[in-house]
């Protein structure tokens, strides 16, 4: 799927590139076929799902 060099070999490649970004919809398509969502969840090319990696609210830093 990747057109860049060196190409990514699989969906768990460490540095896939964004080929289509839709920030208004909250997702980006990576060159390895994975879809990454703004909430840090992922949909992999084989149909499996990576759950969002959310930080508990009490650990978020708040600025005033």
């Amino acid at each position: 799927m990747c057109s860049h060099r060196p190409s990514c070999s699989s969906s768990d490649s460490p540095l896939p590139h964004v080929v289509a970004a839709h920030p208004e919809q909250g997702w980006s398509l990576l060159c390895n076929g994975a879809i990454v969502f703004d909430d840090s969840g992922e949909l992999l090319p084989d149909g499996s799902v990576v759950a969002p990696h959310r930080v508990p609210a009490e650990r978020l830093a708040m600025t005033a």
Side-chain angles (χ1 to χ4, degrees):
M1 285 184 134
C2 301
S3 60
H4 59 86
R5 298 284 179 241
S7 62
C8 298
S9 59
S10 68
S11 62
D12 58 351
S13 179
L15 297 173
H17 296 113
V18 174
V19 294
H22 292 276
E24 71 284 359
Q25 297 176 354
W27 63 273
S28 296
L29 174 65
L30 303 181
C31 62
N32 60 7
I35 299 172
V36 180
F37 297 94
D38 287 351
D39 67 356
S40 74
E42 298 179 40
L43 179 59
L44 303 179
D46 65 1
S48 60
V49 174
V50 176
H53 307 66
R54 295 188 177 120
V55 177
E58 59 273 2
R59 291 185 53 199
L60 292 175
M62 298 188 72
T63 60

